[in-house]
Amino acid sequence: MIADLPRPDIKTLLLGIAAIGLVAGGGIWFYGDPAASGVIWTAATLPVLFALLVEIAHSLRQGEVGLDIVAALSMTAALAFGETLAAVVVALMYSGGTVLESYAEARARHEMRALLSRVPRSALRHRNGALDEVPLDQIEPGDRLLIRQGDVAPVDGNVASDRAVLDQSALTGEAMPVQLSQGDPVMSGATNAGDTFDLTATHRAEESTYAGIVRLVEAAQRSKAPMSRLADRFSLVFLLITVCIAATAWWLTGDPIRAVAVLVVATPCPLILAVPVALVAGLSRAAHYGVLIKGAKALEVLARIQTLILDKTGTLTDGRPQLVSIDTTDGFDPDEVLYLAASLDQSSKHPIAQAIVAAAKAKGASLAVPDHAAETAGEGVAGVVAGRRVIVGGADFVASRVPEDRGNGASRAVGSVVVAVAIDGRLAGRIIMADPLREGTAGFLAGVRRLGVSRILLATGDRKAVAEAVTKGLGLDGVRSDMTPDQKVLLVLSEGKDGRVMMVGDGINDAPALAAADIGVAMGARGAAASAEAADVVLLVDQLDRLLPGMEIAQHARRIALQSVYVGIGLSCAGMLAAAFGYLSPVQGALFQEVIDVAVILNALRALRIVPAGTGADQVSKAAHP
């Protein structure tokens, strides 16, 4: 198929040659030189035919039979029997269709670039009492590395310092940073969210967790075979019907021109043109709703999903710790507790501290500048705010400094974080933080089922208790917890045996599963760049329910494309019968085919007017300009 040629400028060049040849030959024919016009039309047809024959030969070697064979037969027969005008018209229609198809299926993505760009290129290694910056490939097991705040762990290893605070959300999906003690294992790809610590390497870079995720993405994408064009599914039957009608007309009448006319009318431009036009229109329409679908193939598969697999953190949930409640003691005011805690937490880079600061600012608080702030990495911070002594941190950290705290207070819900606050030597209260479900999650899941998804699963790296607590009452068909990236891939492949699978995620740990699924959907607004690159669909607006209009548009666009296919084939069959009985000459057949093309393309353009249920113009505007 010409659409498979490596350089898109070749397809445009072939279209230009056919168009210029048709116009130039027509001008010469008008001025009374049919022989010269025939030469020009032949010259304009041959490049398209040659490129087409090359691609047909390539497809046949791979065991694929496409509708391109009918186009090649019609051009070859028309040239062989002197019907050069019909040949160049077919060449123009076909090359135009391939340009449209190429545009529809252009996938501007570089799957591995985001993953590789995040991998550290070097590391700081302790050697002979000094620090040396060395390339990753020089790191050996047993080397002691310095991991600064904000650095990504370059290799797997163990904590060599007293403690470390790591953000592992890119690897496990867990939103809350974890505190590790000396000797605890550290996965490469985790980010240091606390103070500088030392790491003892246990693996070389190429053997570490992050490198394994990169390899998983590569393997998953290689294993996902490209889907055939929608039109090709009709190719074999349509090809047999065309050849039988053409051969029968020639055999019964002895007139080869009858066969040429049949082949010209049968040129499957309604399929070649209408399908990409409808799907391109669907892609454009989906973009208005904040749904970037990377190509016509992805849109067609999106229309026929049976199983949905969801990640939790950043997908089903918001992915950012949020304030749930403030439980105070001894008559302290909740707003005062939040104000003083947030003011002190400005001195900390800990994600929970920053979430408390954000919560206070969201309430309109104008925070004070803390004095004498002293932070114990991963445990808490103490200091002075507006003349008052404030301590903020974990329950044990605060209890060790406030003897009156005997542990009474708020209970901790599964999946939440409790931050204790002491003011002037007394326990003032506890701030409860959690990663809540996205607003409208239940409605989204109901909408997905309405659109034909029969099975919905959760796949997360979180603990079982957290996963089950978050999804309670959602009516999911299954919850899979404590999953590693390779286990997510296996789940996708296992579910794929029973139907097409869509995976939705946002972290680096989701990238391999996104690549392995029939359709991978990434939360592109705040999600990891690697997941957006590996996915087939990216939600440009950070709202999970934006996927609903994308799915509905895909279904409508595919339905419109199929309508154009069925109508086009029906009219083509009628035209073939008319040509077989001598009512259409080759040129008339080509013109009749043009009428069919116009009809089916106008029908395909209806996809530009698709309006998904439950959406309005205001939502379109917001989605288009997030």
Side-chain angles (χ1 to χ4, degrees):
M1 293 173 287
I2 294 178
D4 294 327
L5 287 172
R7 293 184 297 168
D9 56 312
I10 293 180
K11 296 186 284 291
T12 305
L13 177 63
L14 293 175
L15 174 61
I17 291 173
I20 293 172
L22 176 62
V23 173
I28 293 176
W29 179 87
F30 181 78
Y31 284 105
D33 194 348
S37 64
V39 172
I40 293 176
W41 288 332
T42 299
T45 303
L46 287 175
V48 178
L49 178 58
F50 175 76
L52 181 55
L53 290 174
V54 170
E55 292 306 315
I56 289 173
H58 177 70
S59 298
L60 290 176
R61 283 196 299 270
Q62 295 182 332
E64 300 173 1
V65 179
L67 285 166
D68 301 329
I69 294 177
V70 179
L73 284 174
S74 64
M75 281 186 272
T76 302
L79 291 177
F81 293 102
E83 296 290 341
T84 54
L85 175 57
V88 75
V89 169
V90 172
L92 178 65
M93 290 189 295
Y94 187 81
S95 56
T98 60
V99 169
L100 283 173
E101 184 182 39
S102 175
Y103 172 74
E105 296 189 358
R107 303 176 70 100
R109 74 185 202 182
H110 305 284
E111 289 85 356
M112 299 309 301
R113 184 177 61 190
L115 276 174
L116 296 175
S117 65
R118 192 176 183 273
V119 177
R121 304 299 179 189
S122 61
L124 291 174
R125 183 175 63 185
H126 291 276
R127 183 62 59 89
N128 300 325
L131 288 173
D132 296 328
E133 186 169 0
V134 296
L136 289 192
D137 57 7
Q138 293 185 16
I139 297 175
E140 296 291 336
D143 284 348
R144 190 180 178 103
L145 309 176
L146 181 71
I147 311 299
R148 297 165 296 188
Q149 187 177 69
D151 282 352
V152 175
V155 296
D156 290 349
N158 296 322
V159 177
S161 302
D162 291 337
R163 64 178 61 88
V165 180
L166 293 172
D167 177 2
Q168 300 183 140
S169 59
L171 298 169
T172 67
E174 175 60 63
M176 306 299 179
V178 296
Q179 180 175 323
L180 303 179
S181 301
Q182 187 174 27
D184 287 343
V186 174
M187 292 186 291
S188 60
T191 302
N192 182 9
D195 291 338
T196 298
F197 72 95
D198 285 345
L199 174 76
T200 302
T202 57
H203 294 79
R204 294 181 176 87
E206 66 270 16
E207 300 168 346
S208 294
T209 301
Y210 199 77
I213 290 179
V214 172
R215 289 192 295 271
L216 280 171
V217 173
E218 292 174 329
Q221 294 206 338
R222 283 195 302 268
S223 67
K224 186 168 68 173
M227 190 183 69
S228 299
R229 292 183 303 174
L230 184 150
D232 286 342
R233 298 172 192 164
F234 304 89
S235 59
L236 188 57
V237 173
F238 190 75
L239 175 61
L240 293 175
I241 292 174
T242 300
V243 172
C244 287
I245 294 177
T248 301
W250 189 353
W251 179 63
L252 292 177
T253 65
D255 183 2
I257 301 302
R258 295 274 186 99
V260 173
V262 169
L263 292 173
V264 169
V265 174
T267 300
C269 289
L271 307 183
I272 295 169
L273 292 172
V275 170
V277 166
L279 299 185
V280 167
L283 297 177
S284 174
R285 196 63 179 151
H288 279 284
Y289 291 87
V291 183
L292 175 62
I293 303 175
K294 299 180 181 178
K297 291 179 182 179
L299 183 139
E300 191 195 350
V301 179
L302 182 61
R304 298 182 294 157
I305 293 299
Q306 283 102 22
T307 300
L308 170 63
I309 300 177
L310 293 164
D311 174 49
K312 184 185 78 69
T313 304
T315 302
L316 202 61
T317 65
D318 187 66
R320 292 172 291 189
Q322 296 183 18
L323 177 65
V324 175
S325 64
I326 303 174
D327 300 314
T328 60
T329 61
D330 294 338
F332 281 96
D333 179 67
D335 289 339
E336 180 187 25
V337 170
L338 178 62
Y339 165 77
L340 293 173
S343 295
L344 180 59
D345 271 341
Q346 292 178 106
S347 63
S348 173
K349 286 188 175 183
H350 194 284
I352 299 299
Q354 293 303 304
I356 291 175
V357 172
K361 290 182 176 179
K363 288 179 173 288
S366 180
L367 302 180
V369 178
D371 293 322
H372 308 294
E375 182 174 7
T376 301
E379 295 188 17
V381 58
V384 178
V385 176
R388 309 189 69 175
R389 291 180 293 111
V390 182
I391 304 172
V392 182
D396 294 338
F397 177 77
V398 174
S400 66
R401 289 160 175 77
V402 183
E404 302 93 286
D405 177 19
R406 292 182 294 273
N408 49 345
S411 61
R412 172 177 173 175
V414 175
S416 66
V417 172
V418 178
V419 179
V421 182
I423 300 174
D424 293 333
R426 292 187 298 156
L427 178 68
R430 293 178 172 85
I431 300 174
I432 315 300
M433 309 291 292
D435 184 17
L437 281 175
R438 288 181 180 271
E439 185 178 353
T441 296
F444 162 75
L445 296 177
V448 167
R449 292 195 187 275
R450 174 178 57 82
L451 293 175
V453 175
S454 58
R455 185 166 167 80
I456 303 177
L457 305 173
L458 178 74
T460 178
D462 278 359
R463 303 183 306 276
K464 182 178 181 181
V466 174
E468 291 181 345
V470 168
T471 59
K472 185 177 181 180
L474 292 180
L476 299 183
D477 296 297
V479 175
R480 307 289 189 269
S481 57
D482 298 304
M483 300 199 79
T484 60
D486 56 331
Q487 289 174 331
K488 288 187 178 183
V489 171
L490 290 175
L491 176 63
V492 166
L493 297 177
S494 176
E495 292 293 328
K497 298 175 182 178
D498 299 320
R500 293 174 181 82
V501 176
M502 176 165 63
M503 171 73 191
V504 185
D506 78 318
I508 293 175
N509 62 309
D510 299 318
L514 293 176
D518 295 290
I519 285 291
V521 180
M523 306 294 293
R526 288 193 300 107
S531 63
E533 293 290 350
D536 303 287
V537 178
V538 178
L539 303 183
L540 301 178
V541 184
D542 192 28
Q543 299 174 14
L544 186 59
D545 61 0
R546 287 295 88 196
L547 185 56
L548 291 177
M551 293 177 65
E552 192 169 344
I553 288 170
Q555 291 179 357
H556 280 300
R558 183 175 182 274
R559 191 176 303 122
I560 289 171
L562 286 173
Q563 289 172 355
S564 297
V565 167
Y566 295 142
V567 171
I569 286 180
L571 291 175
S572 293
C573 288
M576 283 191 290
L577 292 175
F581 285 101
Y583 295 112
L584 290 176
S585 67
V587 173
Q588 290 171 333
L591 295 176
F592 178 69
Q593 188 59 251
E594 285 290 350
V595 173
I596 298 175
D597 293 344
V598 172
V600 297
I601 289 174
L602 290 176
N603 180 68
L605 288 174
R606 291 192 299 115
L608 286 172
R609 300 194 300 272
I610 297 173
V611 178
T615 58
D618 58 330
Q619 290 170 296
V620 175
S621 177
K622 290 177 183 178
H625 307 284

